[in-house]
Amino acid sequence: MTHSRMNRREFVKKSAVTGAAVAAAGAVSGGTAEAADRGHHPEKAPRTWSFSILGTTDLHSHVFDWDYYADAPYTDKAGNSVGVARVATLVKQQREAKGEHRVLLVDAGDIIQGTSLAYYFARVDPITGTDGESGPKHPMAVAMNHMRYDAAALGNHEFNYGIETLRKFEDQCDFPLLGANALHATSLRPAFEPYTVKRIKVPGAPDIKVGILGLTNPGIAIWDKDNVGGKLVFPGLVEQAKKYVPRLRALGCDVVFLTDHSGLDGSSSWGDALPYIENASNLVAEQVPGIDAILVGHTHVEVPSYTVKNEQTGEDVLLSEPYCWGYRLSVFDFELELHHGQWKVTGKKAQTLDPKGVDEDPEIKKLLEADHELVVKYVNTPVGTCTTDLSAADSCWKDVPIMDFIHKVQMETVKTGLSAADAALPLISVAAPFSRTADIPQGNVTIRDIAGLYIYDNTLYGKKLTGAQLKDYLEYAAKYYHQVPAGTKVDTATLTNANSFWDYMYDTAAGVDYEIDIAQPEGSRIKNLFYNGAPVAADQVFVVAVNNYRANGGSGYPHIASAEIAYSSTNEIRQLMIDYVTATKSLDPADFAVTNWRLTQDGTPVF
């Protein structure tokens, strides 16, 4: 079975790591470990010891401080840098300051998707190989092996390119990918290692045993249903932690550390579509006794240090989330005392470090510069031209041509794959403005211009909704806007993202005409919903072109997840857009731009 094979592999790795740790201990502590190896124990064994666990999360294949969509070094208003190359320098500094044998390094998931680099090594030159030839090594495996990670949790985006790609990445890593709640669908046995146990060497005293438990996000069952359906299931974090934390304590772990690809506010984006919580790290801390600390991921926020009291024991559980993309590094510092041969945690604290002031690791640069240059060359490949500049800057409150480009490609593609009966139905499209900074320039259009507009690796569906269901769908989308009473000036800076409804969650529709009256309360905003000049009838049936994330229930839209499928494809929408420009040679808004929706206040147009 895979699990036992991985355990044997982990045993070999553990032996190697232990050997390295002993050697490092000798180097750092002036030969104490070496003396211990020869049987000469120090006069007095230490009664206290300290060590650290460093944590990253949501790296999303950011290796270097580079923006592939902008073809320039990464920049944002906050002055952040991205990439593990800089984080690696911070890790090196921590190891130098504290001792190699006193530092563990852990990640909380979402490693292999998110940049053009990730796409290139999944689809263009896939790590799984092509035509019987073996593929390249994933740059994230190369970087993280060089940084000597001890473990990583599985993120939901690990499954975006299918299980085969994930398994190949797993094979390329010198550390385990942990997922105690990723189970085989039939046997309900672990599909990945649930945990790993690391040993901190203490000269002249027992090792400190650190159990690291990995938990992933139950939402994978929705978001990547096409890749995992019938193969894997993902029970809740609390449920699986209750099973494994006592097991780690029974194994003699002095410290139990969780790495969770799950936020910490107890919220879920899927309503009642799953019986489990999406962001459950705080609930795990509250409800499962025996946990010392949790590295939090998934929600792309910075939480330097956060404490939750366990309901059963009253003990404090320490949590930290280091933002995303390598913006920050979490540092957990533990103090322990030896009592009757057993190490007890006496103190713990957490903080986040900002890598933007340090240089990128020269070794990672040397190892991966060529891969990076390959991807830069790929994304700068021209595929056609554009007759005018197309900007997404106003796409969150105006019907702009750049969004109609997405709709055009989605509808044309779905149309070609419909049965004769379904082809007779009215066809519409829904899509979200993923990036307000996206811009397709006048003149040459490159792969990166299109990739910057459609930043996710979504595939395409056609699903059937009635007119009544479509209105519900659009009402749900319209909760994205804050209510602005008639006669009140509309400020675009404060108009959007009501209800923590982010841009990627907000769908606009093409193929129907409608108004969104932002003066009205939520649920009563969609006005004048027409198809072909006539009001949409409640029982009228539409085929809706929609991405797989939304089609499978992502963001909790009503009706769509259970709707009948009229079309599905494994082709990425981004690639379909690239193919469209390649085939037509020219992107001209005259071919697709239609203003079919607008914002109003009591019927008066806002813009």
Side-chain angles (χ1 to χ4, degrees):
M1 195 181 95
T2 312
H3 187 46
S4 58
R5 172 178 66 80
M6 288 191 285
N7 278 343
R8 286 197 296 275
R9 187 181 71 188
E10 180 63 14
F11 174 77
V12 172
K13 277 191 285 181
K14 218 178 283 179
S15 305
V17 170
T18 303
V22 171
V28 174
S29 57
T32 311
E34 193 182 325
D37 280 350
R38 293 198 302 266
H40 302 297
H41 295 286
E43 283 180 23
K44 193 175 181 189
R47 307 296 305 169
T48 60
W49 204 253
S50 62
F51 78 95
S52 300
I53 299 178
L54 312 181
T56 55
T57 191
D58 296 273
L59 294 171
H60 286 284
S61 283
H62 287 85
V63 173
F64 296 119
D65 195 8
W66 189 260
D67 183 341
Y68 290 100
Y69 305 137
D71 196 32
Y74 179 82
T75 177
D76 67 15
K77 288 177 190 164
N80 291 306
S81 68
V82 299
V84 285
R86 282 199 207 283
V87 175
T89 301
L90 282 188
V91 171
K92 203 177 280 182
Q93 289 172 355
Q94 286 284 307
R95 285 176 174 144
E96 284 169 1
K98 294 171 178 175
E100 294 276 335
H101 60 303
R102 292 185 189 234
V103 175
L104 299 175
L105 178 58
V106 177
D107 183 80
D110 277 4
I111 301 167
I112 61 170
Q113 178 279 340
T115 60
S116 298
L117 181 89
Y119 182 80
Y120 189 89
F121 286 95
R123 292 286 187 258
V124 182
D125 187 8
I127 60 171
T128 50
T130 49
D131 303 324
E133 299 288 317
S134 60
K137 219 165 180 186
H138 199 291
M140 289 303 290
V142 173
M144 294 173 82
N145 288 344
H146 168 74
M147 292 167 70
R148 304 200 312 276
Y149 271 80
D150 292 285
L154 293 163
N156 51 286
H157 284 287
E158 259 64 86
F159 295 86
N160 286 174
Y161 296 119
I163 293 171
E164 185 190 2
T165 297
L166 174 54
R167 287 297 188 194
K168 176 55 72 172
F169 177 69
E170 180 188 28
D171 285 344
Q172 293 180 348
C173 291
D174 296 341
F175 52 90
L177 301 182
L178 305 177
N181 59 331
L183 312 179
H184 289 293
T186 46
S187 67
L188 298 183
R189 294 177 68 83
F192 295 84
E193 292 186 50
Y195 60 82
T196 186
V197 178
K198 311 301 291 186
R199 289 175 178 268
I200 305 289
K201 289 284 173 188
V202 182
D207 295 347
I208 298 167
K209 290 175 76 174
V210 183
I212 303 171
L213 177 67
L215 293 162
T216 192
N217 205 288
I220 296 162
I222 293 176
W223 304 320
D224 263 308
K225 183 181 174 186
D226 297 342
N227 290 327
V228 302
K231 298 172 187 173
L232 299 174
V233 293
F234 302 89
L237 285 87
V238 171
E239 291 80 357
Q240 292 303 98
K242 281 181 175 174
K243 177 177 178 180
Y244 282 103
V245 170
R247 191 172 298 185
L248 288 169
R249 289 296 181 188
L251 286 170
C253 291
D254 305 294
V255 177
V256 171
F257 185 88
L258 270 58
T259 173
D260 293 3
H261 194 76
S262 177
L264 49 69
D265 65 359
S267 67
S268 294
S269 65
W270 49 66
D272 57 3
L274 289 174
Y276 307 115
I277 303 295
E278 178 178 356
N279 297 307
S281 292
N282 60 321
L283 303 178
V284 172
E286 275 174 14
Q287 297 174 25
V288 185
I291 300 165
D292 292 293
I294 303 177
L295 174 66
V296 177
H298 183 56
T299 46
H300 293 212
V301 293
E302 182 180 9
V303 183
S305 182
Y306 186 80
T307 303
V308 172
K309 198 172 286 294
N310 184 266
E311 293 169 346
Q312 195 169 320
T313 64
E315 296 287 331
D316 284 341
V317 182
L318 184 63
L319 301 92
S320 179
E321 182 174 2
Y323 219 154
C324 61
W325 299 2
Y327 281 162
R328 302 289 184 270
L329 175 71
S330 280
V331 180
F332 294 83
D333 292 316
F334 297 92
E335 301 286 337
L336 296 94
E337 281 182 12
L338 193 60
H339 288 279
H340 309 295
Q342 182 88 35
W343 289 104
K344 302 283 184 194
V345 175
T346 55
K348 54 192 175 187
K349 64 181 197 289
Q351 61 175 317
T352 50
L353 302 180
D354 189 340
K356 72 183 172 208
V358 303
D359 291 332
E360 293 186 330
D361 182 290
E363 282 301 308
I364 290 181
K365 286 185 91 158
K366 199 184 296 179
L367 287 166
L368 294 173
E369 198 78 71
D371 286 351
H372 168 69
E373 292 302 331
L374 261 180
V375 177
V376 169
K377 186 178 175 186
Y378 165 73
V379 298
N380 280 291
T381 306
V383 289
T385 59
C386 190
T387 59
T388 186
D389 184 78
L390 300 177
S391 168
D394 294 335
S395 59
C396 293
W397 47 83
K398 269 188 198 170
D399 187 350
V400 292
I402 200 168
M403 289 300 298
D404 289 328
F405 169 40
I406 301 173
H407 290 305
K408 167 83 169 175
V409 171
Q410 289 191 166
M411 286 196 282
E412 279 205 355
T413 306
V414 169
K415 191 176 183 178
T416 60
L418 292 176
S419 68
D422 289 341
L425 297 172
L427 174 63
I428 67 172
S429 167
V430 292
F434 292 144
S435 171
R436 299 186 191 194
T437 59
D439 187 273
I440 296 177
Q442 184 175 11
N444 282 339
V445 177
T446 63
I447 287 171
R448 72 177 171 84
D449 295 326
I450 297 169
L453 171 62
Y454 209 100
I455 58 177
Y456 296 108
D457 301 305
N458 294 330
T459 57
L460 186 60
Y461 270 80
K463 287 208 156 190
K464 295 184 187 179
L465 292 182
T466 65
Q469 290 173 330
L470 175 62
K471 187 167 187 293
D472 286 349
Y473 190 101
L474 295 175
E475 286 286 7
Y476 185 84
K479 72 177 189 174
Y480 171 72
Y481 296 108
H482 289 278
Q483 188 173 7
V484 187
T488 309
K489 190 177 185 305
V490 177
D491 181 1
T492 56
T494 56
L495 174 64
T496 62
N497 307 114
N499 303 293
S500 297
F501 211 63
W502 310 117
D503 294 358
Y504 76 90
M505 301 167 78
Y506 171 58
D507 277 356
T508 63
V512 284
D513 295 288
Y514 64 102
E515 294 172 358
I516 304 170
D517 194 334
I518 57 174
Q520 303 305 319
E522 287 172 27
S524 306
R525 291 177 171 176
I526 301 303
K527 309 293 181 187
N528 301 321
L529 179 58
F530 280 72
Y531 176 76
N532 263 359
V536 168
D539 60 351
Q540 194 172 0
V541 179
F542 293 84
V543 174
V544 182
V546 60
N547 70 47
N548 69 299
Y549 177 81
R550 199 75 84 233
N552 289 328
S555 302
Y557 273 76
H559 312 303
I560 196 77
S562 57
E564 184 186 339
I565 297 170
Y567 171 90
S568 69
S569 166
T570 56
N571 293 323
E572 279 104 356
I573 294 166
R574 182 201 299 118
Q575 190 59 45
L576 294 169
M577 291 161 64
I578 292 166
D579 293 345
Y580 175 90
V581 180
T582 305
T584 60
K585 302 285 192 291
S586 174
L587 200 54
D588 185 349
D591 297 333
F592 52 78
V594 181
T595 303
N596 65 285
W597 68 269
R598 62 185 181 181
L599 298 186
T600 64
Q601 284 174 299
D602 272 354
T604 305
V606 173
F607 301 112

